[in-house]
Amino acid sequence: MVPRTNDDAPEDEHGRRPAPGDGGVMKGENGPGIEAGSGPGTADAVVESGSGPASADATVESGSHPATPDATVEGGSRPGTADAAVGSGSHPATADATAASESGAGTTGATASEATDPDERVAALRRVSAVGRRWRRAQLAGCVVLLAVALTGGSIALGNTRDDSGRALATTGGGISAAALLGSGDLDASVTGLQDHLRAQPRDFGAWATLGLAYVEQARVDGDPSRYPQADKALDRSLDLRPRNDQALAGRAALAAARHDFTDALKYADQALKQNPYNERALCSRIDALLELGRYDEAAKAADTADSRRPGIPVFTRYAYVRELRGDVRTARRVLEQALDATATPADTAYVATALGQLAWNQGDHETALRHYARALAADDGYLPALEGRARAQAASGDRAEAVRGMEAVVARAPLPGALVALGELYEEDGDTMRAREQYALVDAWTALARAGGVNVDLDTALAAADHGDAKLALRAARAEWDRRRTVHTADALAWALHVNGRDEEALPYARRATATGYRNAAFRYHRGMIELATGRTQEARASLTAALRLNPGFSPLGAREARAALRSLEADR
């Protein structure tokens, strides 16, 4: 099924059809700036305010009373220094901090209390400091703040909104305009506006739901983990005032996904849809959760359902990703092009053009990828996923100097694992092993900080540690993530972790599973080929390695080099 146009959308009780771009844009699983496995829509802070048949229920309750001082309402100002961003005042370690314990995400086998151990934070920051001695002091301080972005779980994905851009949202249950608050272009000011409104009308359940989602978005943008327990409290307040309201339940789904707790994300999305089948945020979160749990057939059905109820950019982009995972690149491209034609804001244009760039990159079409990234950056010249994607495509096209400069700029703003590893490999290929090691060590610091914030980072750990860290740690993390969710990405991570630990016969079934859906990913094929080579399956290894390089000859500076070396060795042995 090809996504419908908005003219085909069912009308709501007022005879209205949903707007094509209402509700923001999802996050892509494999977009530049995000590690494999962190899927679309995991942290969208889009406020769904009851659009569809259930919206008549969204009315403010009477009997409001003066607001009392409340940390949830009054905690709007964000820390302004590196110490404030990661210190004791900013992490969810208070008695009501439920971020880590509620989601169950965090360390491999660690308890919630262990995940927020101040000693772990101190150790992480010391590692950052040791690595950054060659940087200017001010640059290091900024890097510490930026490292904390990862505490929100996959923040620089194929994004939903720009860092400095709000989203036009529907009206909340209490009559306050969320569009006026969160569409102002200043998220902090919008949160302050919501807090002011709730002091005057503390029984506005819709505004509480909007505030909860705004805190999730602040966590994404600011890297402030204290927003998670604040989001918990705001969403709880909304549900206390209006039990089972779909806005807050959809917010719960977004919050769970931000913590990489996709089982809970699915649960809350289903509860929201039971109350309002047309809740776009819940429809999209349901697709995201099913994809991240590896339930691809169900995700495809969920995408069809969402397309029939709320066609538009958020659904189109998810629909395209479902098709890409099945190897249907042609349909994925057509749907994304349709979504690009429907964009109405620079933020949406930047996002969809970047998704098209990533799709082209995955197929090895670097020239087309660069054109799409250029369009994205024309819409938003600071859009990080496009900047990272452009740097990768430049490296693959042979423009290494520009690639290094571009990736350095990305890391300076958001030192997340994908970009750090990519920059480290560029340095390593140029023979600068010291600077490469610095990037890999920063990944280790990122991992410690993220775990301290209660975010599950086992997939990130497995991928980075397997190539540039502790092989045993990589295997522990990969097994833990495989136990949580069985996707093509977790299968590939486990296969590669087993390989680097010398357990190739055990690795092979997972490598085959990673490539079984038809998903065209050169790194997956490279991993499978190297595992086949290690098990003596030379014919299969030759086919897999050749396929990897044919699909995307620049998929990884070091991986592509090793694949070519392995093929030369195979040819010499013939």
Side-chain angles (χ1 to χ4, degrees):
M1 169 178 179
V2 175
R4 300 147 52 110
T5 64
N6 198 54
D7 292 339
D8 298 325
E11 295 179 347
D12 65 14
E13 66 185 72
H14 305 294
R16 293 181 285 108
R17 290 187 174 92
D22 184 26
V25 185
M26 65 90 171
K27 293 182 162 191
E29 180 164 347
N30 298 305
I34 189 167
E35 302 68 49
S38 186
T42 57
D44 293 15
V46 176
V47 179
E48 173 59 54
S49 297
S51 300
S55 60
D57 191 48
T59 57
V60 66
E61 296 191 14
S62 60
S64 62
H65 53 80
T68 57
D70 188 290
T72 304
V73 175
E74 297 183 352
S77 60
R78 60 187 173 110
T81 65
D83 290 339
V86 297
S88 60
S90 297
H91 62 84
T94 61
D96 61 355
T98 59
S101 60
E102 177 179 279
S103 68
T107 63
T108 305
T111 65
S113 61
E114 289 168 339
T116 56
D117 187 345
D119 291 340
E120 187 176 21
R121 285 182 175 274
V122 172
L125 293 177
R126 285 174 177 166
R127 284 195 292 274
V128 175
S129 179
V131 169
R133 284 182 184 132
R134 298 176 64 220
W135 293 1
R136 292 178 318 204
R137 186 166 186 164
Q139 287 176 315
L140 177 60
C143 184
V144 174
V145 174
L146 289 166
L147 280 168
V149 171
L151 294 168
T152 65
S155 59
I156 310 299
L158 275 178
N160 51 331
T161 61
R162 299 187 306 174
D163 285 0
D164 61 349
S165 173
R167 178 65 61 229
L169 305 170
T171 301
T172 68
I176 182 172
S177 172
L181 289 168
L182 298 182
S184 66
D186 186 336
L187 181 60
D188 291 335
S190 298
V191 168
T192 299
L194 276 167
Q195 292 166 343
D196 290 343
H197 169 80
L198 285 165
R199 290 188 187 98
Q201 298 188 41
R203 297 186 65 79
D204 184 346
F205 73 91
W208 280 111
T210 303
L211 181 62
L213 274 166
Y215 283 143
V216 175
E217 179 66 356
Q218 272 194 325
R220 187 190 75 81
V221 172
D222 297 343
D224 182 358
S226 69
R227 300 305 181 196
Y228 283 162
Q230 288 178 311
D232 269 323
K233 291 167 69 176
L235 294 168
D236 280 346
R237 185 72 61 87
S238 177
L239 289 166
D240 286 343
L241 291 168
R242 179 62 60 89
R244 299 183 299 280
N245 81 80
D246 64 290
Q247 301 168 53
L249 291 170
R252 278 274 173 220
L255 179 58
R259 293 166 167 164
H260 290 187
D261 184 355
F262 299 108
T263 299
D264 265 8
L266 179 60
K267 178 185 73 175
Y268 287 121
D270 284 339
Q271 290 177 6
L273 291 171
K274 184 176 181 180
Q275 301 302 315
N276 176 10
Y278 291 85
N279 185 307
E280 184 179 61
R281 173 63 266 165
L283 287 166
C284 292
S285 290
R286 189 169 195 275
I287 302 169
D288 300 337
L290 289 168
L291 285 170
E292 289 294 344
L293 292 169
R295 294 160 61 175
Y296 297 129
D297 289 342
E298 293 174 76
K301 293 177 182 177
D304 286 341
T305 298
D307 179 53
S308 69
R309 294 178 184 174
R310 292 298 300 269
I313 290 173
V315 173
F316 284 6
T317 47
R318 287 168 170 83
Y319 189 104
Y321 183 64
V322 169
R323 296 299 172 185
E324 184 186 2
L325 278 174
R326 292 183 161 187
D328 188 358
V329 173
R330 181 176 299 179
T331 298
R333 184 184 301 113
R334 184 170 67 250
V335 171
L336 287 174
E337 288 169 348
Q338 180 179 349
L340 187 60
D341 290 340
T343 59
T345 68
D348 286 354
T349 299
Y351 162 67
V352 181
T354 300
L356 279 163
Q358 178 66 13
L359 185 65
W361 158 263
N362 282 339
Q363 314 316 309
D365 189 350
H366 306 140
E367 183 178 347
T368 298
L370 285 168
R371 286 202 303 270
H372 287 306
Y373 294 135
R375 179 165 182 181
L377 292 169
D380 181 350
D381 60 5
Y383 189 53
L384 278 170
L387 290 169
E388 184 180 337
R390 183 178 67 179
R392 291 178 185 272
Q394 287 169 334
S397 301
D399 192 354
R400 304 192 62 77
E402 283 300 314
V404 169
R405 279 193 289 270
M407 200 64 77
E408 285 174 340
V410 170
V411 166
R413 288 177 56 189
L416 295 168
L420 287 166
V421 169
L423 181 58
E425 290 188 351
L426 287 171
Y427 286 149
E428 192 170 341
E429 191 174 28
D430 289 340
D432 194 343
T433 55
M434 180 179 293
R435 295 178 78 185
R437 284 197 297 268
E438 289 177 355
Q439 308 313 306
Y440 305 146
L442 282 171
V443 174
D444 179 59
W446 175 91
T447 299
L449 286 169
R451 282 178 171 160
V455 178
N456 169 27
V457 294
D458 280 326
L459 185 60
D460 306 294
T461 299
L463 292 168
D467 283 326
H468 306 292
D470 182 337
K472 292 182 179 179
L473 172 63
L475 183 54
R476 287 197 302 272
R479 284 199 185 280
E481 194 64 13
W482 177 254
D483 288 342
R484 292 188 192 95
R485 52 194 184 106
R486 302 192 171 187
T487 70
V488 293
H489 294 88
T490 55
D492 171 71
L494 181 52
W496 196 238
L498 286 163
H499 166 72
V500 299
N501 279 275
R503 300 166 64 171
D504 292 287
E505 288 292 348
E506 189 179 350
L508 188 56
Y510 295 105
R512 288 171 173 165
R513 181 162 177 166
T515 56
T517 68
Y519 179 46
R520 293 167 59 83
N521 186 299
F524 288 10
R525 293 175 185 248
Y526 159 66
H527 289 163
R528 176 171 172 170
M530 297 301 287
I531 292 167
E532 289 167 336
L533 182 60
T535 59
R537 295 170 171 83
T538 56
Q539 185 174 350
E540 293 91 337
R542 185 180 293 108
S544 294
L545 294 171
T546 300
L549 292 171
R550 183 179 296 126
L551 176 59
N552 186 356
F555 70 90
S556 162
L558 300 185
R561 185 179 68 188
E562 291 175 3
R564 293 187 182 95
L567 283 172
R568 287 195 297 270
S569 177
L570 284 169
E571 289 302 314
D573 292 341
R574 273 184 145 176

